[in-house]
Each structure stands twice: as structure tokens, then as C-alpha cells.
Amino acid sequence: MNLKELSQHLGLSQTTVSRALNGFPEVGEATRKRVLEAAETFQYRPNASARKLATGRAGAIGIVFSSERNMLLDPIFTDFLAGVATQCSRSDNDVLVSSAQGDEAGTYRRLARVRSVDALLLSSPTIDDPRIAMLQRLGMPLVVHGRTQTGLNYPYLDIDNEGAFHKATTLLIDLGHRRIGLLNENLRFTFATHRSQGWRRALTARGLAAPPELEGGARMTEENGYRMARGLFELSDPPTALLCSSIFLALGAMRAARETGRIVGKNLSLIAHDDGLDAIRPETLTPALTTTFSSIHAAGVRVAEIAMALANGADPTAAAEIWPVDLVFRGSTVPPAP
Amino acid sequence: MNLKELSQHLGLSQTTVSRALNGFPEVGEATRKRVLEAAETFQYRPNASARKLATGRAGAIGIVFSSERNMLLDPIFTDFLAGVATQCSRSDNDVLVSSAQGDEAGTYRRLARVRSVDALLLSSPTIDDPRIAMLQRLGMPLVVHGRTQTGLNYPYLDIDNEGAFHKATTLLIDLGHRRIGLLNENLRFTFATHRSQGWRRALTARGLAAPPELEGGARMTEENGYRMARGLFELSDPPTALLCSSIFLALGAMRAARETGRIVGKNLSLIAHDDGLDAIRPETLTPALTTTFSSIHAAGVRVAEIAMALANGADPTAAAEIWPVDLVFRGSTVPPAP
DNA sequence: CTGAAAGCGCTTACAG
DNA sequence: CTGAAAGCGCTTACAG
């Protein structure tokens, strides 16, 4: 059943039926009711392509998978995507996932030209991420989950990574720790740089050193957490507390702790950033992990919302949000062993 | 730049330019060359919606996120999706992700009516999954990653879960184990049922019991792995070996082992199913975990391939693949302690 | 080998 | 409040 058939059935013009369906105010109440009922009866759905062609709007937002980025390997991305998809389906928008194997710039350029999305979502940007300038040049609306340090003006939603790790570090200092290690993602990612800055600022604010030997950055896998922690434990003056940028790094750190005879929550303190991954909950581990928490699902919802506003012509300079991050205190964080 | 402008620039009709671009054989070689060069120069890309409308093909395949299914919470899904996206982008197809909040059937129905996808992908079906019959009724091509036990005929790609867990169980029996526990997903998922069957078949083939007390099924989280393992360890005759349906369940089981004074690879054996999740690699844990392995990324690639063939009119009854699963022997699997 | 024209199924000025 | 008609940007019989 298409619009033509539906309107013929109703004895109305396509114009009127289309207007009734799309909620235009000038349609008579009785007419609208008839149209809506018929549409329901016949399960009429406007053809997406036709509507897109006529309106010039794609009714979709896009996300690009990049094999160079960690996102592909990042299980947490699923949760973000679910948030995006949920929000989009509320307003009958699609979300379109592309994969950039190799030529990432080319993929973005193609998406921009083909006009199959109204806006693009960028995740986990690097500090000098070139994608933003490129997409702006192509006139493609975009919203960034995270930030860059490029000085460009663009819509974004980020969490307060600097503040979160500042707060976490300060807590550890207040508990008496003086040597606090940081297991982080590679610093080319802005969120990692921000977390490093928060850690450093908290230490120097208390007159403590933030030596490079106490800081490690690598893809956030269990194994890298293990390796980095082992490295820190082998220092002549090893840390008594660790900050981990992800639950996976924390798992690896906990393994390293066990193997070196440390007991988390006794003679080693741990704080991990928790993205809300459901398969591993920090509160149910032994001991329960202190975390900095921000729901990545909620971020996905909000980012999609912003993207769709942009697609509808919202001011791209207006959207800039930095969400606070909770520090959730649990058993993994104690004063240093005497 | 659109087709009209491009053809005017070339002094050709839209027809010819369109045919040249789409590789139709009747176009003169010189003409084709000119057209291709001009298209390249002007970075011409056909408008996706217009093409879809004209051809009636959406050029996209769809995946529905369901909050009822574990897939939403399943980090491994990212990897599957990446495989799908990679394959689709090879042939310039889109992948469209929808979210079914609440009314899952309604979401599928809408997708079918709106014609924005040519085929649908179903993941982790339950044994009596109703979605397949529904989509077949709507005339929507689909391919299932996994199987049902409905007896319906549909295209699918599955891994040999029964065989994998049969093989793993047999290995443990051969090593001398007599009490082998199974930490599984809920049995309403077909893959869980198949794994349970493989476990049971191996045990009974050797005249061993497969008592329900040794089998647990729940969402595959670390915590549930911990809980189920704790439960098994409290039995009067506890298992000396465990089979885990996911790396997360295995992590929980390892934690339970530690807390009850067990040492994996010494007085407790462990085999986990590995989907190839990059954030936690079984081979780098302590001890390295024996696994049944099958790449979920590769499955995503192949499933997308099948879906696109179907969209192009391939025979839906022809595609049915069951991939073998490797058993990778590592340090977590030893004979029972004397 | 090339082109004029119809058509895909919508939306939306414009007219009444 | 309703409708006839043009147009969105492609593809594809049909004709030559």
C-alpha cells in the first residue's frame, strides 16, 4: 500500500493524505481522523527513500567504524551504540554504521556526498583529530563524543575526565598515598590526556611528584593492564595505589597484584573508570572497586539527540556539554599499608 | 553535483552517463572513460535515496537491537557488527541499526514496511524464536546468526556449538575428570542448548552422569560466572573441571576458584568459549585458558555476505552453514588432582 | 551505441 | 480546508 492507493481508497488527494499523516495543522479534524484510521488499518508506511528524496533529509545519522581506532575493539562501544539507536528510533530516524577499512577519510567523504545521513557521530577523538576539520569543510553536520585540542568550534558531548581523575587522585592523596600510578589509554586520545592532566594537577597541587615512570598508556586491554601494573610494581619505589582508565585495565592490574603478593583493598588501592559495561560490574568484584562512573549509554542517547537537532537546523555552535563524573567509593580504596 | 549537471557538463544524456557509471556493457569505451574521469574530477556520487527509489532496492541490511536479548549487553556484539559493516562497505551497502524498545515485533514490521533495508540479520535466536516466522510472513529476507529449533527453513550461519562442547568435555574426561560443571547462558538461547547437549552427550557416551546440579544457565556476566561456580563448589561432590560459555563467565569462575582456595591449572581445570574479544585474551591470562574458539568477526562478514546475496535474489533455502570450532589447548586444563 | 521520456513514491509551493 | 501539479535525482524500458 502506497500513498496513491491509500488516497484513492479514501477519495482524497495525495496532498491531503500526506498532510494529515504528517500532522499539518490545516487539515480538517474529521478528515485527519479518517486518514489516520485508514493508515492504521492498511498498515501504511511511507516509503523511506521517496520521503528522503522529496525532503532532502536522509532521516539517519551515521557512525563510522575505524579499524585504526580502538573503538572497533572496544566492547563498551556497543552500549554507546545502543543508546544512539534507542534515541533515533524514538523519532523514526535510522542509524547507519559504516566501516572504514584503510581509507578513513575516503569513507567520510563518500558518506558526505551520498547524502545518506544528515549528521555524523565521532567517537573517542584524538587530540588533533583531522576528521572534524574535514567534515566541516564538506559541510556535513557532526557531533563529537569527546573533544579534541584543535581549538575548532564544533558540537560535542564529553564527560569531565580531567575532573574525575583529579577527584580520584585527590581522594587517594587524602587517604595518605604518595605514589599513585596511572594506567591509561594512549595519550593521543583526548580523554586519556585529560585524565592524565587531572592526575597530574591533583598531585602537584599537593606538592607531590607526577613522574613519567608512574604513568602508562596503551590500548585498554586486560593484558596491557597486567603489563603496565607489573612494570610499576617492579619500580624501586612502587606505587601504593593505581588509577585505571577502564575496567579491563583494572582486571589486568588486579591479576598483577595477586601475582606479586598484593591484596587490593589491603596493601594496594585501586580506582577504575567505569563506563557501565554490564558484563563486568565493578561493584560485584572482590573487593568491590571504587570507580569514576559515567553512563556511556546515556551519552549515546544525548549525542543522538544533538545530532538530530543539528540535522533539523539547530545552531552547531550552541551544543557543548561536559558531564560531571561520579566518584563511587568502594572497598578497593584504603589508606596505604603502614 | 548531480547526474543532470554532470551529463550537461559532458554533453551527454543522463541515460548514457548513468549507464557508464553503472558499468552497462553497451556504452562506448571512449565515452565510458570520459564519464568516469569527469565523475572522479567532480567527486560525483549518486544520491542514495534517488537510486533506492528508482531501483526499489534499499542497498542496506538491518540489525535490530533488542533490550530483551542479551545482545545489547553483550560486548562481543561489537565485533560481530564490525564484521558486518566491513563486508557491507565492500559492496557499497549500508548497515542500519535499529533499536526495539518494548515492541520488538512492531519494530520488525515497521522495517519491513518502510523498505529501508533489503534484508535483516538476526542474532542469538532462542530455540522457538518467533521473529523468523514473522519476517517470512512479511516477505522480508533474513539470515540468522545461529539457529532455532522451530523446524522452519531459513538461511543461517552457525558454529558447531554442540560439537565444540562435546569435544571439550571429552578432552576433560580423557584427562580423568568425572565431575564436569557447565556454566552456560540461559537454555532458551539455542547456542546454550546446543552446548548443553554437547556436554551431556560426551558424558553419557562415557557412561558418566550429567546431573542438573552440575549445569547452570544465566546471562553471561562475570558475576553470574562467580555465583554459579560458587554454587558448584559448595556441592558435596564438587566438579574438578568447568566449561564456561564465555570469557566473562570464566573470569567469574576464576574468582570463585581463588576464593575457595582452588588453583586453576592445578586442582581445577577450565575451558572457556572464546569469541575473539580483544579486550580480554584467554591466552594471556594466568594460567592461559584452554578455549573453544570461533571468530565472531568472521561470522559477521559471512552473514553480511549471505544477506546481500539474498537481497540480490539468491535462493533463501540454499544458505546453511555450520562452522567447525577449534579446541585450543592451554595451561588451564590438567588431569584432576589426585 | 545513444537519448527522450516515464516512473519510483513521496512532499510542498501555489491556487482556489 | 483541499487539490492539481511540479519536483526531488536517479534508473530503465523503448525507440532509433
Side-chain angles (χ1 to χ4, degrees):
Chain A
M1 167 82 49
N2 60 27
L3 184 62
K4 191 174 175 185
E5 292 162 351
L6 181 64
S7 45
Q8 275 168 354
H9 174 87
L10 284 160
L12 290 165
S13 71
Q14 292 188 212
T15 310
T16 300
V17 175
S18 172
R19 283 199 279 238
L21 257 20
N22 289 304
F24 281 54
E26 61 264 49
V27 181
E29 216 26 75
T31 312
R32 157 161 297 129
K33 191 142 174 283
R34 272 183 63 214
V35 171
L36 257 30
E37 275 167 8
E40 175 64 26
T41 307
F42 296 110
Q43 290 261 43
Y44 167 75
R45 303 282 171 186
N47 177 294
S49 305
R51 163 178 274 174
K52 287 172 193 177
L53 183 56
T55 59
R57 293 238 359 240
I61 66 177
I63 301 184
V64 176
F65 266 123
S66 152
S67 40
E68 273 101 75
R69 276 159 222 289
N70 63 340
M71 142 213 221
L72 235 181
L73 309 161
D74 188 350
I76 292 158
F77 182 69
T78 309
D79 210 9
F80 176 73
L81 187 60
V84 171
T86 300
Q87 178 60 29
C88 284
S89 74
R90 275 189 198 127
S91 51
D92 249 1
N93 279 65
D94 292 323
V95 14
L96 213 137
V97 173
S98 297
S99 167
Q101 66 314 2
D103 182 19
E104 195 172 349
T107 302
Y108 282 107
R109 220 173 289 122
R110 191 182 67 80
L111 274 174
R113 289 260 144 59
V114 157
R115 296 277 138 204
S116 45
V117 297
D118 297 315
L120 239 28
L121 262 34
L122 303 195
S123 275
S124 298
T126 57
I127 49 179
D128 58 351
D129 206 301
R131 298 175 296 170
I132 298 172
M134 191 188 94
L135 289 169
Q136 288 186 332
R137 224 177 299 121
L138 290 168
M140 169 62 73
L142 86 176
V143 25
V144 179
H145 180 219
R147 272 172 286 174
T148 66
Q149 303 196 144
T150 52
L152 288 174
N153 207 317
Y154 53 86
Y156 69 81
L157 165 62
D158 199 359
I159 61 173
D160 183 14
N161 284 301
E162 205 273 349
F165 273 51
H166 177 271
K167 192 157 45 171
T169 306
T170 301
L171 169 64
L172 291 167
I173 298 171
D174 286 341
L175 287 171
H177 294 275
R178 293 296 170 264
R179 296 277 287 175
I180 300 170
L182 173 61
L183 309 192
N184 207 353
E185 171 59 275
N186 189 298
L187 291 181
R188 69 195 186 90
F189 291 102
T190 312
F191 75 86
T193 286
H194 283 167
R195 289 175 186 178
S196 172
Q197 287 166 348
W199 167 76
R200 174 166 294 107
R201 182 164 65 90
L203 288 169
T204 53
R206 298 297 184 90
L208 296 170
E213 74 205 39
L214 283 184
E215 186 176 10
R219 276 187 54 232
M220 301 191 291
T221 65
E222 197 271 352
E223 188 187 6
N224 283 333
Y226 173 79
R227 286 211 196 131
M228 291 194 277
R230 283 299 295 238
L232 293 182
F233 294 154
E234 277 159 20
L235 293 175
S236 56
D237 187 8
T240 57
L242 297 178
L243 248 45
C244 301
S245 254
S246 97
I247 187 92
F248 295 110
L249 290 174
L251 287 177
M254 290 170 84
R255 179 156 63 99
R258 282 196 299 276
E259 292 191 12
T260 57
R262 288 169 168 80
I263 299 176
V264 176
K266 292 288 262 201
N267 53 13
L268 179 70
S269 287
L270 210 64
I271 301 184
H273 183 73
D274 176 22
D275 294 282
L277 183 69
D278 224 78
I280 306 182
R281 298 302 317 140
E283 65 269 27
T284 68
L285 295 178
T286 319
L289 258 44
T290 298
T291 57
T292 52
F293 172 73
S294 185
S295 163
I296 200 158
H297 186 275
V301 168
R302 180 65 186 137
V303 161
E305 213 166 53
I306 296 172
M308 290 181 313
L310 250 39
N312 288 323
D315 177 9
T317 65
E321 298 181 16
I322 300 177
W323 287 3
V325 177
D326 286 328
L327 178 57
V328 186
F329 186 84
R330 300 198 185 91
S332 66
T333 312
V334 293
Chain B
M1 166 82 50
N2 62 25
L3 184 62
K4 192 173 175 185
E5 292 161 351
L6 181 64
S7 46
Q8 274 168 355
H9 174 88
L10 284 160
L12 290 166
S13 71
Q14 291 187 212
T15 309
T16 300
V17 175
S18 172
R19 282 198 279 239
L21 256 20
N22 289 303
F24 281 55
E26 60 263 47
V27 181
E29 215 27 75
T31 312
R32 155 162 298 128
K33 191 142 174 283
R34 272 184 62 214
V35 170
L36 257 29
E37 275 167 8
E40 175 64 25
T41 306
F42 297 110
Q43 289 261 41
Y44 167 74
R45 303 282 172 185
N47 177 294
S49 305
R51 165 179 272 176
K52 287 173 192 177
L53 183 56
T55 60
R57 293 237 0 239
I61 66 177
I63 301 185
V64 176
F65 266 125
S66 152
S67 41
E68 274 101 74
R69 276 160 222 288
N70 64 338
M71 140 214 221
L72 235 181
L73 308 160
D74 188 350
I76 293 160
F77 183 69
T78 309
D79 210 9
F80 177 74
L81 187 60
V84 171
T86 300
Q87 178 59 28
C88 284
S89 73
R90 278 192 196 123
S91 51
D92 249 1
N93 278 65
D94 293 324
V95 15
L96 214 137
V97 173
S98 298
S99 167
Q101 62 319 358
D103 182 18
E104 196 172 351
T107 302
Y108 282 107
R109 221 173 288 122
R110 191 181 67 81
L111 274 174
R113 290 259 144 60
V114 156
R115 295 279 138 205
S116 45
V117 298
D118 297 317
L120 238 27
L121 261 35
L122 304 194
S123 275
S124 299
T126 57
I127 48 180
D128 58 351
D129 207 300
R131 297 175 297 172
I132 298 173
M134 191 187 94
L135 289 168
Q136 290 186 331
R137 224 176 299 121
L138 290 168
M140 169 62 72
L142 86 176
V143 27
V144 180
H145 180 218
R147 273 173 286 174
T148 65
Q149 303 197 144
T150 53
L152 288 174
N153 207 317
Y154 53 85
Y156 68 81
L157 165 62
D158 199 1
I159 62 173
D160 183 13
N161 285 300
E162 205 272 350
F165 273 52
H166 176 271
K167 192 157 45 171
T169 306
T170 301
L171 169 65
L172 291 168
I173 298 170
D174 286 341
L175 287 170
H177 294 276
R178 292 297 171 263
R179 297 276 288 176
I180 301 170
L182 173 62
L183 309 192
N184 207 352
E185 170 59 275
N186 190 299
L187 290 181
R188 69 196 186 91
F189 291 102
T190 312
F191 76 85
T193 287
H194 283 166
R195 289 175 186 180
S196 171
Q197 287 167 348
W199 168 76
R200 176 166 294 109
R201 182 165 65 89
L203 288 170
T204 52
R206 298 296 184 90
L208 296 170
E213 73 205 40
L214 283 184
E215 186 176 11
R219 277 189 52 232
M220 301 191 292
T221 65
E222 198 271 352
E223 189 188 6
N224 283 333
Y226 173 78
R227 286 210 198 134
M228 290 193 278
R230 283 299 296 238
L232 293 182
F233 294 154
E234 278 160 20
L235 293 175
S236 56
D237 187 8
T240 57
L242 296 178
L243 248 45
C244 301
S245 254
S246 97
I247 187 91
F248 295 110
L249 290 175
L251 287 176
M254 291 170 84
R255 180 157 61 98
R258 282 196 300 277
E259 292 191 11
T260 57
R262 287 170 170 80
I263 299 176
V264 176
K266 292 288 262 199
N267 53 14
L268 179 71
S269 286
L270 211 62
I271 301 183
H273 183 74
D274 176 21
D275 294 283
L277 183 69
D278 225 79
I280 307 181
R281 299 301 317 140
E283 66 269 27
T284 68
L285 295 178
T286 318
L289 257 43
T290 298
T291 57
T292 53
F293 172 73
S294 185
S295 163
I296 200 159
H297 186 276
V301 169
R302 180 65 185 135
V303 161
E305 214 167 54
I306 296 172
M308 289 179 316
L310 251 37
N312 287 322
D315 177 9
T317 63
E321 298 181 17
I322 300 176
W323 287 3
V325 177
D326 286 328
L327 178 58
V328 185
F329 186 84
R330 300 198 185 89
S332 66
T333 312
V334 293

